[in-house]
Amino acid sequence: MLSAWIHDYYAHYIHVNVKRGDVARSTDDMTPKRLVSLVFILGIAVAGISTLLSKYILGVLSTDFRSKPLGEELDHSHSIFIPLPSEDILSVHDDHTLSIPFSKTELDQNHCTVASVTEALASLHSALDMKLSGKQEKAIKLFQHAVALAPCHPDVLNHYGEFLEHTQKNVIKANEFYVRALTYKPNHEGALINNQRTARVVNEHDRAMLKRIDDKRNTLSNIPDNNAALIRAKKEAYFQHIYHTVGIEGNTMNLAQTRAIVETRIAVSGKSIDEHNEILGLDAAMKYINSTLVNRVGSISIKDILELHRRVLGHVDPVEGGQFRRTQVYVGGHIPPGPGDIHYLMEEFVLWLNSEQAIRMHPVRYAALAHYKLVHIHPFTDGNGRTSRLLMNMILMQAGYPPVIIHKQHRHKYYEYLQLANVGDVRPFIRFIAECTEQTLDLFLWATNEFSRQVPALSQETLFTDRQNTIILEDNSNDILED
């Protein structure tokens, strides 16, 4: 259309100049000057119109996707979890990576010395001998010693996985070691065969777990919001969530003290100002989510994450609250990206957070990955864990789940699974979050049972006994379990 218009204009221009007897001169002047100028101006106009149209279309599409539930099938069978007024599987190994070359940091740090590898291999041979002799307890200690000495040696990891699978009957844990072995040596023949054999069983376990969690969420959503037991459970869970979340970071307040600070704003004798302010900050952040973000339809923005962090850290450090860090930080064995990369990485993270691929995941997996990705970037000087857990719970609440409570006494498992994700396998962390989700749902269902009279305190160890998550892999199980 544009080229036809230019052709007509050019032909008319020549015709007019023919009458004047000046065809040659007019064409020479027209081509480099007026014609080029017109093409340039019209090109800018077309580009501007195209940009406006694309932004409008993308805005409609993103709103449409965000307005749908966050589950895999995007059904409408559940409602948003209403707080108090005041890919369908876990086994995706590369979902945690970001498109910059810092994801191998932990792999480099796990470099094994020659001496440690030699000692680890000696311990491995002794463990295999003990295994053949039927001395299982000694074999376990020797295998664990070998893994501690050489955590990046594929032979050590693969043999320990085989021991866990065939002797301990723990296929889930065994598969994790096979995947770790392949992280360090992708063509390791033994680990490839073992992983291929156990992967389907692990996937089936994960599917069953997510299905069980969804069933419990649906049961909870059928309880009326004005149910007295549910109201009590929500109130108690609110205080317990604050108590365990700040407790993971080292806060020494007990549950009763946490409740008193939130309800009365009266200081507790013998406790530091920072510990008080951590509780008040988390209370402010949760109320912000409850009053604004959880019921909002639309994309999650960087501004939303900054607003969460500003409230988390607002009482402890108002200067750094809501601000990206400007210095390098070190978190155990993990070295987060430099401050110069934070803005780019957060923009990339938010693009993923609002992508169709992420939104169509199972909500538990989506929320756990959002948690991991944010804490891996570590964009703030302090409060990264609390902000990541709040973001995770906001996603879960939008999908109809209650805010997940990660038990403070499980902090070592929590950090261990984050470290495993850093070195290549994010599934254990997602599985851990799924187990915490189910335990939180169990708390609400127990508390709303007609025979219940009180909400159990999550500090009781009996509520957090390890679940039986091992699957015995029989010789013919691959014929029975189909994807």
Side-chain angles (χ1 to χ4, degrees), residues 276-293:
H276 287 79
N277 286 335
E278 287 170 358
I279 292 171
L280 294 174
L282 198 65
D283 175 49
M286 290 182 67
K287 287 177 178 174
Y288 174 70
I289 290 176
N290 294 344
S291 62
T292 58
L293 300 181

Side-chain angles (χ1 to χ4, degrees), residues 18 49 86 100 137 178 266 298 319 347 358 425 450 467 471:
V18 165
I49 294 171
S86 63
I100 63 166
E137 293 185 3
Y178 299 148
I266 297 176
V319 175
E347 289 175 358
D425 189 2
E450 60 178 324
R467 296 180 181 273
I471 301 175

